[in-house]
């Protein structure tokens, strides 16, 4: 009998736990009042090293050039949001993509026919590179450049403090 009481107690406690964690439905009116944060943010501290990049000319008198010790370092951040087609048209068409439309902003003119076929019909993913406060801006360097089969370097290249803030890209299916 003692075992039966213990079993009954465990069963009762389990049912209370289950009842406390049970999901309840939310109707549309209540759900419309829920506010939240949409989108995704990504940040990275890059430390990419590429041993070499070699270009070879395949002509009979061709040669090659090697870029060695390639590095990408620094911080980069991005945000991703879903935006409606209407919001995309209001944001993107007056700007960079606006040069593909006629003076009235229409995508129906012959020179803009390609963009009309290419333009999104539904929602769009917006990827933005926001301003970030850091002293670790993006840097790109090539330690050595060598011609042909020579190991003599004729210099290096560095791009320092590359700031991509304000860049926006859009992605959509078609």
């Amino acid at each position: 009998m003692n075992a039966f009481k213990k079993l009954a107690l465990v069963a009762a406690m389990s049912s209370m736990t289950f009842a406390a964690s049970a999901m309840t439905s939310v109707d549309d009116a209540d759900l419309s009042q829920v506010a939240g944060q949409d989108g995704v943010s990504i940040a990275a501290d890059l430390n990419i090293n590429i041993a070499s990049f070699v270009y070879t000319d395949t002509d009979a008198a061709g040669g090659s050039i090697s870029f060695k010790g390639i590095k990408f370092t620094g911080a980069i951040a991005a945000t991703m949001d879903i935006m409606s087609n209407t919001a995309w048209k209001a944001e993107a068409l007056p700007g960079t993509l606006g040069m593909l439309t006629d003076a009235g902003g229409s995508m129906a003119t012959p020179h803009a026919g390609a963009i009309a076929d290419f333009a999104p019909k539904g929602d769009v993913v917006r990827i933005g590179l926001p301003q970030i406060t850091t002293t670790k801006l993006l840097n790109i360097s090539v330690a050595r450049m060598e011609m042909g089969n020579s190991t003599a370097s004729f210099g290096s290249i560095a791009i320092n403090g590359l700031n991509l803030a304000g860049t926006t890209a859009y992605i959509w299916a078609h």
Side-chain angles (χ1 to χ4, degrees), residues 1 41 90 116 128 134 152 170:
M1 193 64 144
S41 296
T134 181
Y170 303 94

Side-chain angles (χ1 to χ4, degrees), residues 95-169:
T96 306
L97 294 177
M99 69 182 148
L100 300 174
T101 64
D102 63 18
S106 170
M107 292 188 288
T109 59
H111 72 280
I115 191 66
D117 293 338
F118 179 71
K121 309 293 187 261
D123 291 345
V124 175
V125 176
R126 175 180 50 202
I127 301 172
L129 302 180
Q131 182 66 43
I132 55 175
T133 306
T134 181
T135 58
K136 294 185 73 174
L137 290 175
L138 192 58
N139 298 300
I140 304 168
S141 64
V142 177
R144 299 175 56 84
M145 294 182 292
E146 301 172 358
M147 293 293 291
N149 295 325
S150 172
T151 58
S153 175
F154 62 94
S156 62
I157 299 173
I159 301 171
N160 298 313
L162 183 60
N163 189 347
L164 301 172
T167 301
T168 303

